[in-house]
Amino acid sequence: MQKTVLAAIPLAMMLAVGGCSEPAPAPQAEEAPILMQAGEWVLTRKTTGYNTPTITPAQYQAALKQVSEDKICLTVDAEGMPDAAALAGKDGTACTYKDKMARKGRLIATLACTAGKGTSEIAVEGNYTADTLTLGETMTQSEGGGAVLRATYDLSGKRVGDCPKG
C-alpha cells in the first residue's frame, strides 16, 4: 500500500505543475502616437488671471475680460510639438522649449521667450488631438531679475485646414 501512495505523489505533482502553466499572453498592439497636425489653426486665448505690482482692481477686472482669437499657420516638429512662439502668443518672441513632454494626447512644457526688455517663462499644460488643443498657461514676465507681470490663460485651438499658399 505504501508503494501505491508514494507512486501517486510524483504523478500528482507533475499534474499540478503541468496545470499551472498558462499560455503566454498575446502581445499588446502598440498604440499609435497622437501627433498634432501642422496647418491653419484658430487659437483662442482667454485671460484668467493678471497681476502686476501696480495693478488696480479696475485694471484687474478689465484684464479678465480679454479674449483674443488668432488665425495662424502652425508648424509642428517631427516629435509632434507645436511651434513654441505660437503657444506664447503676444507674451513672447524667439521662444524655445526649456522642457517638453507630449504623450498620449497630453502636453506639458515650459517655454523661454524674449519679452520687451526682459524675458518671459510660460508653463503650459493640457490636452491635444491631431486637430484640437486645450491648454492652461501661466506666464511670468521678468525684467532685471524681478517679476513684472504674471498672467494665466486658457488656450484652445482647432485646426481649420491647410495653410494658405503664397
Side-chain angles (χ1 to χ4, degrees), residues 22 40 50 62 86 94 96 98 108-109 115 126 136 159:
E22 296 179 16
E40 188 171 39
Y50 191 86
T96 59
K98 284 179 65 175
I108 301 171
R159 185 176 185 277

Side-chain angles (χ1 to χ4, degrees), residues 52 60 64 131 136 165:
T52 69
Y60 180 77
L64 293 183
D131 56 4
K165 303 282 188 227

